[in-house]
Amino acid sequence: MDETNIGSLIAEVKDGRLSRRTFLQKMASVGIAAPLATQILIWNDVAEAQPASRYKPTKAGGGGPLKILLWQAPTLLNPHFASGVKDQIATRVFYEPLAGWDEEGNLIPFLAAEIPSKQNGGVSADGKIITWKLKRGVQWHDGTPFTADDVIFTAEYAADQATAAYTSGTYRESKFEKFDDYTVRVIFPDAAPFWATAFVGVAGMIIPKHHFADYKGNNSRDAPANLKPVGTGPYKFVEFKPGDILTGERFADYHVNVQPHFDTIEVKGGGDAVSAARAVLQTGEYDYAWNIQVEDEVLKRMETGGKGKVIAVPAGDLEFIILNPTDPWTEVDGERSSVKTKHPTLSDPKVREAINLLIDRDSIQKFIYGRGGTATASFVNEPARFKSKKLTYEFNIDKANKILDEAGYARGADGIREKGGKKLKYVFQTSINAPRQKTQAIIKQACQRAGIDIELKSVAASVFFSSDVANPDTYTKLYCDIEMFTSVQPQPDPERFLRQLISSEVANKDNKWQGRNVSRHTDPEVDKAYQAAQKELDPEKRAALMIKADEIFCSAHVILPLLSRKIVAVSANSLVPDISGWDTTTWNIGAWYRT
């Protein structure tokens, strides 16, 4: 379907001859998923329809306890330091953004009174100014009124380089103005084709000015509220033991009518994915468990227990490997894996190309992940319109050996290749769970057949995904040669997801390793394509620019995509959770209920 045909369909939606649902179905038939199709309508001034609520309870409270397992235990509760998904999930229990993303890619208001559009005056004609009208009558958990001052402060807090916020990239390139106590404006330097970034979703949670004003900048990590949150969400903070348990109670003055259904919430950390699945599917001890990275055959057997079900939600998440182009074993100016260094062998493109050929993605999908993931060579996979058709993968040990032979890496007496006294010996780290350890083993075995020695390292998930800047084993530090993890795409547009590929987001000591580009690899052509996409209003051209950035970066073989992953969780049969693949798991936790 070309741009002219899409334009004709949009015109039919505008004048009422075609329903939104039929438009979405026609887009899906040509590979354009619902989230992107929805965005195409928004780009073309078709007001967004708000889906009907599926929430059934008629009063707040009375649901008893809600018990959630996050086996990758949360370690802090400041949403702007939450580089790990586990911390993002935990903070969203208490904090809210102006708007979030539902499973269909629709923007749903939380602290906003409505979603900005050209029809309601929220989106300027030139696409540079977004005006948010805030919901009135909202209180922070301590009774203080929520106002525009909190929204503006959140932007200033995150944008301050000294704060070293994980979300800084979302705020530092725009201006923010308070119009009145319940109206704020986001001013972009150029027309913004995808403006729903600041104050939206994972990066958009609003924090109270009166609790953080004294902790903006260099002393940001000292704020008591980093561990004792005061939010506007459906649950009030009760207790937090980092790495163990988090509890909350229903906020009686919550601003959404008849929510939440549950009286208390418990988020329990620790253990592993298998035991978490068992606690929901077989013993029924918990209501919900997140990130069930367990072999699919094991899950199918557990489901026969009859107490719960597996949920697999489409998403843009990616399981991938980083080949560190910097030196993780040499310290420069107080940090290892510094951009001022080069890796002794992984800085060689030929070595990286060979390793990419030693990954049997099809077997990893078939025998480990099953319905939970699809093998891929592209960094962006969803929505399908943004996925590269050029990037392909191949498993070929013979070809890898030939590349290394031609590059001058000869096998020594121990069978390990070397060149100039530098051996192809690497430490390969990831978090502890069975699918990842099995994936490591598959890759190690193939590498051995090519004369590459791999030492496997497994780090407890609560440590690996910790936001603690003093922890040397976090995935953002990259203090190893090779590492593997999943990156979450937090919205139905890959613009923020692709920040992981640009130079301004390199993780380093100066930003407390909160930059989103963990690989440290940069390419000026990637930056150029990404920056052009941020200004391009034509959906087709914009998608092409993002695909170009993806292709350039992936062709360097620093990032090796493995699987396009779904969000796999387990839920009690009686629980009705609201899960979106485009936002964090607890994005709408107030609307969860039990039948």
Side-chain angles (χ1 to χ4, degrees):
M1 184 178 293
D2 60 25
E3 193 172 340
T4 301
N5 291 333
I6 293 176
S8 298
L9 293 175
I10 292 170
E12 291 182 35
V13 176
K14 282 185 174 181
D15 62 22
R17 288 178 291 139
L18 186 71
S19 70
R20 292 176 65 96
R21 179 177 293 276
T22 302
F23 176 83
L24 296 180
Q25 290 171 344
K26 287 180 178 291
M27 293 295 100
S29 70
V30 293
I32 301 175
L36 180 60
T38 299
Q39 290 304 303
I40 289 174
L41 290 177
I42 294 173
W43 288 328
N44 287 276
D45 305 334
V46 179
E48 186 166 7
Q50 296 304 314
S53 173
R54 293 175 293 184
Y55 187 68
K56 301 300 182 184
T58 57
K59 68 171 186 176
L66 172 61
K67 300 178 71 176
I68 296 174
L69 273 173
L70 290 187
W71 59 274
Q72 295 179 6
T75 52
L76 60 73
L77 298 174
N78 183 326
H80 296 280
F81 295 155
S83 58
V85 179
K86 60 187 180 58
D87 293 328
Q88 294 167 4
I89 290 173
T91 56
R92 193 65 169 267
V93 170
F94 307 106
Y95 292 110
E96 298 174 300
L98 298 190
W101 299 100
D102 75 3
E103 62 181 322
E104 295 296 330
N106 298 302
L107 271 178
I108 306 298
F110 280 88
L111 294 176
E114 60 185 4
I115 300 300
S117 67
K118 286 188 177 179
Q119 286 79 3
N120 63 27
V123 179
S124 65
D126 61 5
K128 293 183 179 181
I129 302 175
I130 306 301
T131 301
W132 288 95
K133 294 181 179 179
L134 308 183
K135 194 172 185 178
R136 295 171 182 262
V138 177
Q139 294 181 27
W140 293 100
H141 292 157
D142 62 4
T144 304
F146 159 75
T147 70
D149 290 331
D150 298 303
V151 179
I152 296 299
F153 171 78
T154 296
E156 294 172 346
Y157 174 92
D160 189 332
Q161 294 282 44
T163 300
Y166 175 72
T167 57
S168 64
T170 301
Y171 296 93
R172 64 172 176 247
E173 296 168 3
S174 304
K175 294 181 179 179
F176 305 90
E177 290 182 354
K178 172 185 173 181
F179 181 74
D180 59 38
D181 282 347
Y182 294 98
T183 310
V184 297
R185 289 173 175 161
V186 183
I187 303 170
F188 294 93
D190 299 285
F194 189 76
W195 49 263
T197 53
F199 311 131
V200 173
V202 172
M205 285 180 264
I206 310 301
I207 58 176
K209 180 178 180 179
H210 60 290
H211 281 279
F212 285 94
D214 293 335
Y215 299 96
K216 173 175 167 284
N218 289 323
N219 64 339
S220 61
R221 300 281 165 167
D222 300 328
N226 288 342
L227 297 176
K228 296 180 178 180
V230 178
T232 58
Y235 295 99
K236 279 180 70 172
F237 173 80
V238 173
E239 182 183 25
F240 180 44
K241 296 178 181 178
D244 181 15
I245 195 168
L246 168 67
T247 58
E249 62 185 8
R250 181 174 70 86
F251 181 34
D253 295 317
Y254 187 49
H255 58 88
V256 179
N257 191 34
V258 305
Q259 289 188 13
H261 169 66
F262 295 100
D263 300 303
T264 61
I265 186 170
E266 174 188 312
V267 180
K268 176 65 177 173
D272 54 51
V274 174
S275 61
R278 186 177 296 116
V280 176
L281 298 176
Q282 292 184 321
T283 70
E285 183 182 357
Y286 282 84
D287 298 301
Y288 182 89
W290 160 83
N291 191 24
I292 303 304
Q293 204 165 355
V294 177
E295 294 95 319
D296 204 26
E297 289 303 314
V298 174
L299 284 179
K300 288 176 181 177
R301 291 196 298 271
M302 286 187 182
E303 280 183 286
T304 63
K307 287 183 166 53
K309 56 186 178 288
V310 173
I311 301 172
V313 180
D317 301 355
L318 180 75
E319 181 87 0
F320 67 100
I321 286 172
I322 294 176
L323 303 181
N324 192 348
T326 64
D327 188 347
W329 312 113
T330 300
E331 185 173 301
V332 176
D333 297 332
E335 65 178 314
R336 290 152 52 189
S337 291
S338 166
V339 293
K340 298 175 183 177
T341 65
K342 285 187 177 182
H343 194 284
T345 56
L346 290 177
S347 57
D348 186 337
K350 290 297 181 182
V351 175
R352 301 197 301 267
E353 182 183 359
I355 293 175
N356 189 50
L357 289 164
L358 297 170
I359 301 173
D360 189 354
R361 293 170 172 84
D362 288 333
S363 291
I364 292 169
Q365 175 190 330
K366 181 178 180 180
F367 297 111
I368 301 177
Y369 284 85
R371 57 188 153 166
T374 303
T376 184
S378 177
F379 191 75
V380 175
N381 294 276
E382 293 289 347
R385 191 181 187 86
F386 291 101
K387 182 177 180 179
S388 168
K389 293 180 174 61
K390 293 181 181 178
L391 292 170
T392 59
Y393 62 85
E394 178 184 7
F395 176 56
N396 194 320
I397 294 175
D398 291 338
K399 186 182 287 188
N401 272 304
K402 184 179 179 182
I403 289 171
L404 293 173
D405 286 338
E406 293 176 349
Y409 291 90
R411 292 178 187 267
D414 55 3
I416 302 172
R417 291 181 182 270
E418 63 178 286
K419 178 181 177 181
K422 298 174 182 176
K423 288 181 175 288
L424 301 189
K425 296 184 67 173
Y426 307 116
V427 174
F428 178 10
Q429 76 175 14
T430 189
S431 64
I432 295 174
N433 71 54
R436 286 199 171 124
Q437 270 67 74
K438 290 186 176 182
T439 300
Q440 280 183 309
I442 288 173
I443 295 171
K444 176 176 180 173
Q445 186 177 42
C447 285
Q448 286 174 332
R449 295 172 63 187
I452 299 173
D453 183 58
I454 300 289
E455 176 188 335
L456 301 182
K457 179 180 178 181
S458 301
V459 182
S462 59
V463 174
F464 190 65
F465 296 108
S466 170
S467 302
D468 179 4
V469 295
N471 180 354
D473 287 324
T474 62
Y475 79 100
T476 59
K477 288 281 184 68
L478 191 59
Y479 283 0
C480 65
D481 304 293
I482 305 171
E483 75 175 1
M484 175 173 61
F485 60 95
T486 287
S487 186
V488 174
Q489 184 174 321
Q491 50 197 196
D493 181 281
E495 182 177 306
R496 186 168 184 270
F497 191 62
L498 283 169
R499 283 188 175 274
Q500 295 170 86
L501 311 185
I502 62 175
S503 59
S504 62
E505 286 285 338
V506 168
N508 56 46
K509 181 183 177 182
D510 290 342
N511 58 32
K512 294 184 173 67
W513 295 277
Q514 295 293 290
R516 302 206 67 217
N517 184 343
V518 176
S519 76
R520 280 71 160 164
H521 177 67
T522 61
D523 188 308
E525 290 303 309
V526 171
D527 288 348
K528 183 178 178 181
Y530 180 83
Q531 290 162 3
Q534 288 183 297
K535 304 173 185 177
E536 180 55 66
L537 295 176
D538 183 295
E540 294 286 335
K541 293 178 181 178
R542 182 168 178 271
L545 286 165
M546 291 192 179
I547 289 171
K548 180 180 179 181
D550 186 356
E551 290 173 348
I552 293 171
F553 208 96
C554 286
S555 295
H557 299 129
V558 169
I559 282 181
L560 311 181
L562 299 181
L563 296 161
S564 173
R565 289 189 58 192
K566 292 182 178 179
I567 293 175
V568 178
V570 290
S571 167
N573 287 326
S574 62
L575 182 68
V576 184
D578 189 351
I579 308 300
S580 169
W582 308 111
D583 209 323
T584 196
T585 294
T586 46
W587 79 283
N588 197 18
I589 190 70
W592 290 26
Y593 66 97
R594 198 188 310 279
T595 56

